[in-house]
Amino acid sequence: MELGNLTGFSGFFLLGLSEKPALQPLIFGLFLSMYLITVLGNLLIILAVSSDSHLHTPMYFFLSNLSLVDICVASTTIPKMLWNIQTQSKVITYAGCITQMYFFIFSGGLDDFLLAVMAYDRYVAICHPLHYMVIMNSRLCGLLVLMSWIMSALNSLVQTLIVLQLSFCTDFEIPHFFCEIKQMVQLACSDTFLNNMVMYFVAVLLGGGPLAGILYSYSKIVSSIRAIPSAQGKYKAFSTCASHLSVVSLFYGTILGVYLSSAATQSSYSNETASVMYTVVTPMLNPFIYSLRNNDIKRALKRLVGMVAVKVPIILGLKKCT
């Protein structure tokens, strides 16, 4: 990276959601609460799935991976913002900014791929129920998740390496609460044609591809559900994919809101508000969507809480004895 003639460069400045001192405690408390809820909620989903043998199925295997990614999305952006508010500093080092950008792109891409994989899982379960366990075997499930991780990592690596070639001369203020690639490219004083082309290409290929797969899967699911004669059968079939459909709508709806707001207005406030939705709110709501609408998850969570309630007093008693 070239930095013009500036020798005192120490990093970028994250302007955050608001520069008003009176709002900082409120923002800190609100985002700390949402972060703790996000981590705890998604961690409970992972523990519930791993501890209950009845949930060792493809659908819940993908769900636990999605919960892990949601923790990564929130942990990539929120802790640094909370640290800056607490220390009253807006600085993020160049290496820290690049690292944050890499993991954010990686987590967002992985979220996208996993939602497409989960849509395919629901398609097989509803359209080919008799062959479900044969098609969705452990080898295929592992391969689908592995390929999602690899493709997300490669995409993030390519975009990060291209950003490393940019020059930053005089403007180091990022009007955001984290290092977003679009904001980084806009700050550069060198040619950004390649960066813009790669971002558009990735948006069409890696963003539109999974979305097309999701839409195709649900078109087949709707056709299969309509062919079911009884109303009870239709409801049961639809209920198995209602949670996933809600998460997909929330994920793509918030992303669409970010790009529409950035295209319609140049105001950084509207962009930040939309970004909060898909970086903070969506990962926080996903555990609630899956747990509130899923009796299997509810039972597993109750069993997990019961196990903890029994073991904790025993452990504390043993410590007192020693």
Side-chain angles (χ1 to χ4, degrees), residues 236-248:
K236 185 177 180 181
F238 178 76
S239 63
T240 62
C241 56
S243 296
H244 176 259
L245 189 59
S246 301
V247 171
V248 168

Side-chain angles (χ1 to χ4, degrees), residues 22-75:
L23 291 178
Q24 299 308 307
L26 176 63
I27 294 174
F28 182 87
L30 180 62
F31 276 80
L32 177 62
S33 301
M34 289 193 294
Y35 178 66
L36 293 177
I37 292 172
T38 300
V39 173
L40 180 60
N42 284 286
L43 189 60
L44 284 175
I45 293 290
I46 295 172
L47 291 174
V49 171
S50 59
S51 63
D52 194 332
S53 59
H54 296 93
L55 300 184
H56 293 174
T57 61
M59 182 177 73
Y60 295 111
F61 171 65
F62 298 137
L63 176 58
S64 60
N65 275 270
L66 183 67
S67 295
L68 177 61
V69 176
D70 283 339
I71 293 175
C72 293
V73 170
S75 299

Side-chain angles (χ1 to χ4, degrees), residues 160 190 208 247:
T160 303
S190 57
V247 171

Side-chain angles (χ1 to χ4, degrees), residues 58 61 133-144:
F61 171 65
M133 294 310 298
V134 176
I135 297 174
M136 300 302 296
N137 55 72
S138 57
R139 181 179 178 182
L140 178 62
C141 293
L143 185 61
L144 289 172

